[in-house]
Amino acid sequence: MASNDSIAKENKVSASTEYTKIVQSQSFQELLRKKRNFIVPLSIFFMVFYFTLPILTSYSKVLNSYAFGTISWAWIFAFAQFIMTWTLCILYSKKAATFDRLVEKIVKEAKG
C-alpha cells in the first residue's frame, strides 16, 4: 500500500514538473499571448455592443425614430446583435484553428 502511495506521489510530482516546463515554454506563452490578444478586444467589443441597446432604449430616445416603414432603429440594432454574435462565432472558429496548431506544436515539444 505504501509503495502505491509513493508511486502515485512520484507520478504527481513528475506531472507537475512537466506541466511547469510546458507553461514556461516559449510556445505556450505565445499561445496565451495570441489568445489574449484575440479574445480580450472582441469580448470588450461584444459587451459594449450588447449593453448599448438596453442602455440606449432605457435612457435615451435615439433608437425610437423609424428607420423605414414601422421598423424603428431599436429593432435594427437588436437584429444587428444577432449578426454580430454570428460574426464573432465565425471569427473565433477560424481563429481556433490557429490556436489548435499552436497546441499541437506544444504537445510535440513536450513529448520531445
Side-chain angles (χ1 to χ4, degrees):
M1 185 75 167
S3 64
N4 285 341
D5 287 342
S6 64
I7 291 172
K9 194 179 248 182
E10 285 179 21
N11 286 340
K12 188 174 181 179
V13 170
S14 176
S16 175
T17 304
E18 289 177 19
Y19 178 76
T20 303
K21 284 181 183 177
I22 292 170
V23 168
Q24 292 173 344
S25 72
Q26 188 72 22
S27 300
F28 190 83
Q29 295 300 317
E30 180 185 356
L31 173 66
L32 290 181
R33 182 181 50 76
K34 286 188 175 186
K35 285 184 83 172
R36 185 176 343 126
N37 289 344
F38 180 75
I39 292 171
V40 169
L42 287 183
S43 297
I44 291 170
F45 170 75
F46 175 83
M47 298 300 277
V48 168
F49 196 86
Y50 180 79
F51 285 110
T52 299
L53 179 62
I55 290 170
L56 286 178
T57 55
S58 298
Y59 300 108
S60 78
K61 297 182 179 189
V62 172
L63 299 176
N64 288 350
S65 61
Y66 293 107
F68 52 90
T70 57
I71 298 174
S72 69
W73 285 106
W75 283 104
I76 292 174
F77 196 100
F79 183 70
Q81 288 190 340
F82 285 102
I83 294 170
M84 182 257 321
T85 302
W86 293 332
T87 303
L88 292 180
C89 288
I90 291 168
L91 286 174
Y92 182 80
S93 295
K94 290 186 178 194
K95 193 70 172 179
T98 304
F99 300 147
D100 288 345
R101 283 192 294 273
L102 287 172
V103 169
E104 289 173 9
K105 179 182 172 186
I106 292 167
V107 170
K108 284 182 183 176
E109 288 176 359
K111 288 182 178 178

